[in-house]
Amino acid sequence: MLKRLTSAKEYMDFINAINRDPNFSDPMLSNEEQIRGNLLDAPDKPSNQIWGVFEGAQITGLFVFLILEEESYIEMLVGLSRSPKAYEEMLSFLKGTYKGCLADFVYNPGNHLLHKLLLDEKSEFETEQQKMLLKREVPCQSSLQVELYSPKYREQYIAIHSKEGYWTAEKVIDAPDRFRIILAIEQDEVVGYIDITHKFEENEPFDVFVKENFRRKGYGRAMLAKAIELNRPKQMMLLVDADNAAAISLYESLGFVKAVGENNLTAHVSL
């Protein structure tokens, strides 16, 4: 049985037990800030909903969703269960209640139960993401022009920005409390950008891009170095395609190390 919850606090024993399991831990609960923001503070956020799946009085699954009905968008912020029936009931509820919405699921690659369910739904999967943490301070000097976003570059930034995903260029620009935008400029042309959070204790780049004709010139490295400099003394993490050896090597040269066991998969489902 699926029940909406007003708090997750009384189920912390269940949450902690699942989240300690290397195959079923939730990559969105990998640190205290995420546990607070995605789970414990969820009842205080109008767009977030907590749901529990029960067999009798026993909880078998706990889920937190970001629900943006006006945008026909749903995102699983927390998904904790070792029961195939719990995942099936959760997905059945979403399909019945939010028909027509796009739902994003970010989850542990080892979670074979959720993965099989999403495969059966013919979901669209992104490449597995390797999590990396900034652990060393590496000096990085560059003569390339890298600077913070300003409105004079608005149209150029929007033109080259990724059109996929929730965080479009316009939404990033309209969220300065959450994002810092760093631009690479050559002769007054925007040739690359990084969208990176700055409001958290551990921040991360959401999107990194350099125009094809300007790659292998050091712009990606220069922008990321600038992001690291502006982020201090806060921590930084990033996600990179697990099969992108060149990018992983670049990040390692800037002081990042692989976070073992904290990779994730993202699936997109049309409900």
Side-chain angles (χ1 to χ4, degrees), residues 37-90:
N38 291 334
L39 181 65
L40 299 180
D41 291 346
D44 301 325
K45 301 175 182 178
S47 298
N48 290 5
Q49 296 183 10
I50 308 177
W51 294 89
V53 181
F54 295 82
E55 290 185 7
Q58 183 70 35
I59 188 168
T60 59
L62 189 142
F63 303 93
V64 180
F65 292 98
L66 169 70
I67 309 288
L68 299 175
E69 288 193 74
E70 69 281 4
E71 299 182 36
S72 299
Y73 178 76
I74 296 171
E75 181 180 348
M76 186 178 77
L77 301 178
V78 175
L80 294 169
S81 180
R82 284 185 283 221
S83 165
K85 290 183 179 179
Y87 289 112
E88 291 166 6
E89 189 166 350
M90 172 271 297

Side-chain angles (χ1 to χ4, degrees), residues 167-212:
W167 287 107
T168 62
E170 292 86 351
K171 286 179 179 176
V172 173
I173 291 171
D174 290 340
D177 59 323
R178 180 185 183 95
F179 285 105
R180 178 179 284 137
I181 304 169
I182 297 172
L183 302 178
I185 312 292
E186 185 165 309
Q187 297 182 351
D188 215 34
E189 177 185 355
V190 176
V191 301
Y193 68 86
I194 288 182
D195 301 334
I196 184 167
T197 61
H198 65 84
K199 66 178 288 186
F200 307 111
E201 288 305 310
E202 181 180 77
N203 292 295
E204 64 173 311
F206 264 55
D207 198 6
V208 181
F209 176 78
V210 177
K211 286 184 176 181
E212 187 172 357

Side-chain angles (χ1 to χ4, degrees), residues 119-133:
L119 280 172
D120 292 343
E121 292 294 320
K122 302 188 184 330
S123 305
E124 179 184 342
F125 293 88
E126 296 185 9
T127 303
E128 181 177 336
Q129 297 290 287
Q130 170 71 59
K131 183 175 180 178
M132 303 186 73
L133 301 172

Side-chain angles (χ1 to χ4, degrees), residues 3-5 14 22-23 33 42 49 68 90 127 132 169 195 211 220 228-231 240-242 246 259-260 270:
K3 294 196 298 188
R4 187 167 178 181
L5 307 177
F14 171 83
N23 289 319
E33 188 170 23
Q49 296 183 10
L68 299 175
M90 172 271 297
T127 303
M132 303 186 73
D195 301 334
K211 286 184 176 181
I228 292 170
E229 175 189 337
L230 294 174
N231 187 64
V240 59
D241 289 355
V260 178
S270 295

